């Protein structure tokens, strides 16, 4: 096994992750996620002590990804509890985003000999994109309330909004089928519609709402829309997995699409589940005012 899947490369990645966990050693016995990450890293160590076979890389990637998710979840909670301290949160957020991108980097580097979806399940890919998008949503929610910071670093806010929306939109695309299943649709039209829209959990609905809000923040707090589209892609890809890129998006167009879909689903097949659409409608009204 060569390249990213070689024993030496996997050992290096495991060592980096062990060092990351070691930095939180005083919390390890009191936090369930760090405890689970420690157990997972032990399993990874044992895996690499065995002869490297074709089945080793898929198993390594699955366990490695789970450990990354558990460790960074603890780190995210620390940041949220501390309300994203102004002096240190920027580099911490970027560091967590990079860590959550590593499983996909490993998959991309190994895809010459392995199909990506045999290495990372759809559920894990969705989780990796959701976690990055949701973290940037929370970070931007904090930043927009810091008026002095905004006057100096509005371009950073715009960059984080673009990246966060990119992750959430990508997360929503993983399980959205090209064509509906007509047989399934005839048996349960409401569920079939949710499946066709790629909505399998509350998280998918939250991703739509988060996208809409972030697009609203982009139009309210950042430069005018025409100026936004002049940003270069290189400015928006610093934390993305290798081989990935962001299409410079139109905040209003993307926000309208996501919120209209959110409202349609919440007031349609999920109308009995009490999902609030008031804020989504207020944002859509704001978007309409921009064109009048």
């Amino acid at each position: 096994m060569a390249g990213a899947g070689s024993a030496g490369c996997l050992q290096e990645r495991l060592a980096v992750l062990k060092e990351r966990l070691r930095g939180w050693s005083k919390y390890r016995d009191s936090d369930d996620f760090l405890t689970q990450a420690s157990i997972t890293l032990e399993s990874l160590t044992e895996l690499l002590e065995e002869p490297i076979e074709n089945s080793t890389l898929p198993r390594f990637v699955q366990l490695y990804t789970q450990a990354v998710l558990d460790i960074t979840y603890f780190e995210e909670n620390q940041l949220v509890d501390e309300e994203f301290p102004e002096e240190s949160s920027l580099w911490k957020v970027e560091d967590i985003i990079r860590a959550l991108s590593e499983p996909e980097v490993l998959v991309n580097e190994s895809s010459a000999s392995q199909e990506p979806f045999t290495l990372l399940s759809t559920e894990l890919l969705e989780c990796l994109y959701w976690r990055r998008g949701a973290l940037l949503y929370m970070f931007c929610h904090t930043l927009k309330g810091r008026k002095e910071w905004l006057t100096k670093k509005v371009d950073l806010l715009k960059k984080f909004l673009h990246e966060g929306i990119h992750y959430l939109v990508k997360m929503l695309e993983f399980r959205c089928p090209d064509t509906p299943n007509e047989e399934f649709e005839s048996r349960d039209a409401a569920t079939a519609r949710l499946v066709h829209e790629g909505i399998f959990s509350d998280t998918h609905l939250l991703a739509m709402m988060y996208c809409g809000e972030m697009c609203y923040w982009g139009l309210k707090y950042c430069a005018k829309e025409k100026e936004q589209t002049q940003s270069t892609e290189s400015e928006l890809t610093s934390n993305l997995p290798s081989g990935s890129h962001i299409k410079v998006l139109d905040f209003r167009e993307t926000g309208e699409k996501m919120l209209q879909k959110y409202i349609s689903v919440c007031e349609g097949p999920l109308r009995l589940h009490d999902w609030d659409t008031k804020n989504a409608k207020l944002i859509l009204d704001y978007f309409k005012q921009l064109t009048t």
Side-chain angles (χ1 to χ4, degrees):
M1 191 178 297
S6 66
C9 178
L10 300 185
Q11 289 283 6
E12 289 176 10
R13 289 181 182 275
L14 177 56
V16 170
L17 208 50
K18 284 183 175 179
E19 186 61 30
R20 193 178 192 102
L21 180 62
R22 195 173 295 119
W24 301 108
S25 57
K26 67 178 180 179
Y27 300 100
R28 190 158 51 190
D29 294 333
S30 59
D31 184 86
D32 291 341
F33 289 95
L34 294 182
T35 299
Q36 183 57 51
S38 181
I39 294 170
T40 304
L41 292 181
E42 289 179 11
S43 297
L44 281 168
T45 301
E46 293 172 1
L47 180 66
L48 294 185
E49 288 174 351
E50 302 171 1
I52 299 295
E53 300 175 351
N54 289 336
S55 60
T56 301
L57 184 58
R59 179 64 176 155
F60 180 91
V61 170
Q62 299 290 321
L63 290 172
Y64 175 81
T65 302
Q66 193 55 61
V68 168
L69 288 168
D70 286 336
I71 296 170
T72 54
Y73 187 74
F74 169 83
E75 294 172 340
E76 287 177 39
N77 285 336
Q78 291 281 106
L79 278 175
V80 172
D81 290 344
E82 296 168 1
E83 298 181 341
F84 293 96
E86 195 163 350
E87 68 280 0
S88 61
S89 61
L90 177 59
W91 73 263
K92 286 183 178 178
V93 167
E94 291 182 328
D95 180 56
I96 292 173
I97 296 294
R98 279 191 293 270
L100 287 166
S101 299
E102 273 303 301
E104 197 175 2
V105 171
L106 176 57
V107 166
N108 290 337
E109 291 174 353
S110 307
S111 60
S113 59
Q114 300 273 351
E115 285 297 323
F117 283 94
T118 67
L119 298 176
L120 268 177
S121 66
T122 301
E123 290 78 8
L124 282 177
L125 280 168
E126 279 186 339
C127 191
L128 288 167
Y129 276 82
W130 161 251
R131 287 277 302 280
R132 284 174 285 182
L135 174 61
L136 288 169
Y137 168 85
M138 291 185 289
F139 188 40
C140 291
H141 186 279
T142 301
L143 293 180
K144 70 180 179 62
R146 295 174 176 168
K147 294 182 180 179
E148 185 176 345
W149 188 95
L150 275 179
T151 59
K152 300 176 182 177
K153 301 180 180 180
V154 69
D155 285 346
L156 265 181
L157 176 64
K158 182 171 66 176
K159 172 181 179 292
F160 292 137
L161 288 171
H162 272 283
E163 289 183 0
I165 294 165
H166 162 81
Y167 289 125
L168 294 174
V169 170
K170 183 74 174 177
M171 174 252 185
L172 290 165
E173 292 175 347
F174 280 118
R175 283 194 279 182
C176 192
D178 294 329
T179 57
N181 185 318
E182 294 181 4
E183 181 180 350
F184 180 49
E185 192 167 359
S186 65
R187 294 200 306 268
D188 187 344
T191 303
R193 181 178 170 192
L194 293 174
V195 170
H196 181 59
E197 298 284 4
I199 300 169
F200 290 82
S201 69
D202 291 355
T203 304
H204 292 89
L205 286 172
L206 285 173
M208 291 179 197
M209 191 64 219
Y210 283 4
C211 276
E213 287 187 81
M214 293 172 86
C215 289
Y216 166 67
W217 298 339
L219 290 173
K220 183 174 182 180
Y221 298 105
C222 301
K224 292 181 180 178
E225 196 167 353
K226 288 183 180 179
E227 295 172 357
Q228 290 168 356
T229 59
Q230 296 172 0
S231 299
T232 62
E233 289 191 6
S234 61
E235 294 174 329
L236 303 170
T237 57
S238 59
N239 294 312
L240 296 178
S242 59
S244 299
H245 68 279
I246 292 179
K247 177 183 178 181
V248 179
L249 56 84
D250 182 312
F251 282 131
R252 185 174 63 82
E253 180 182 348
T254 303
E256 284 182 343
K257 179 181 177 181
M258 286 295 164
L259 292 178
Q260 286 168 354
K261 186 174 179 179
Y262 171 83
I263 293 170
S264 175
V265 169
C266 291
E267 296 184 349
L270 295 177
R271 62 187 177 280
L272 300 179
H273 292 262
D274 297 326
W275 280 89
D276 188 3
T277 59
K278 181 179 179 181
N279 194 38
K281 290 177 179 178
L282 288 174
I283 294 174
L284 283 177
D285 286 342
Y286 175 82
F287 290 157
K288 290 176 183 177
Q289 292 172 15
L290 296 177
T291 61
T292 58

